[in-house]
Amino acid sequence: MKNILFINGIIEGLAGFVLIFRPQMLLSNAQPEIQGVIVAKLYGVIALSFGIMSYLLSKNFHYHSDVFKKIVLIVIAFHFAVGMFMYGVYQQNITPHPGASVLHTVIAVVFLMIYLKNMHHFKVETDEPAS
């Protein structure tokens, strides 16, 4: 699980950094309109922040907190949702190739496999009845 947060931190951090300085890469458009540049840079800032947050959380990860379990599930859901959204963008001929869709979907599936393999490490906290 720690690896999910660490890998997500690296991927999102790099993607955010690249998009801030090369916004035309988001939709593979050499001459994007100004609105596309603004949205791509905004996504870059968000991705960079998400990457830094994931990296920092990976350094403090432990299985004793239900919060980390929820964060890992959010990361998986994020990549799946972006993968499906970008597939729709590709189907509408807004981007020339399905690269972002494939990348995010593969990341989601790999992260889900890691999660399912290691989810038993999370401790189930039960409320003890008051005496």
Side-chain angles (χ1 to χ4, degrees):
M1 300 294 179
K2 180 178 184 172
N3 291 337
I4 290 173
L5 294 172
F6 180 77
I7 294 167
N8 187 65
I10 299 298
I11 291 171
E12 290 299 320
L14 287 174
F17 186 79
V18 167
L19 286 176
I20 290 170
F21 295 103
R22 301 270 323 241
Q24 65 273 20
M25 290 184 73
L26 182 65
L27 298 175
S28 299
N29 187 338
Q31 298 294 326
E33 293 185 22
I34 189 68
Q35 296 90 341
V37 171
I38 291 168
V39 170
K41 285 187 176 210
L42 181 60
Y43 182 76
V45 170
I46 293 168
L48 180 61
S49 300
F50 190 39
I52 292 169
M53 180 193 68
S54 293
Y55 178 78
L56 293 174
L57 286 171
S58 76
K59 296 300 176 191
N60 296 310
F61 179 83
H62 55 85
Y63 284 103
H64 304 295
S65 174
D66 194 41
V67 172
F68 283 103
K69 180 179 181 179
K70 291 175 184 174
I71 291 170
V72 167
L73 289 171
I74 289 169
V75 167
I76 294 167
F78 164 78
H79 284 288
F80 184 72
V82 171
M84 295 301 103
F85 177 78
M86 290 306 291
Y87 182 72
V89 170
Y90 168 70
Q91 287 289 29
Q92 296 171 28
N93 295 317
I94 296 171
T95 188
H97 57 79
S101 173
V102 171
L103 175 67
H104 281 279
T105 304
V106 167
I107 290 170
V109 169
V110 169
F111 284 178
L112 182 61
M113 289 169 44
I114 294 169
Y115 174 81
L116 292 174
K117 182 179 177 186
N118 295 295
M119 69 184 218
H120 66 279
H121 291 295
F122 282 106
K123 305 291 184 233
V124 178
E125 296 178 18
T126 57
D127 292 332
E128 294 187 23
S131 31

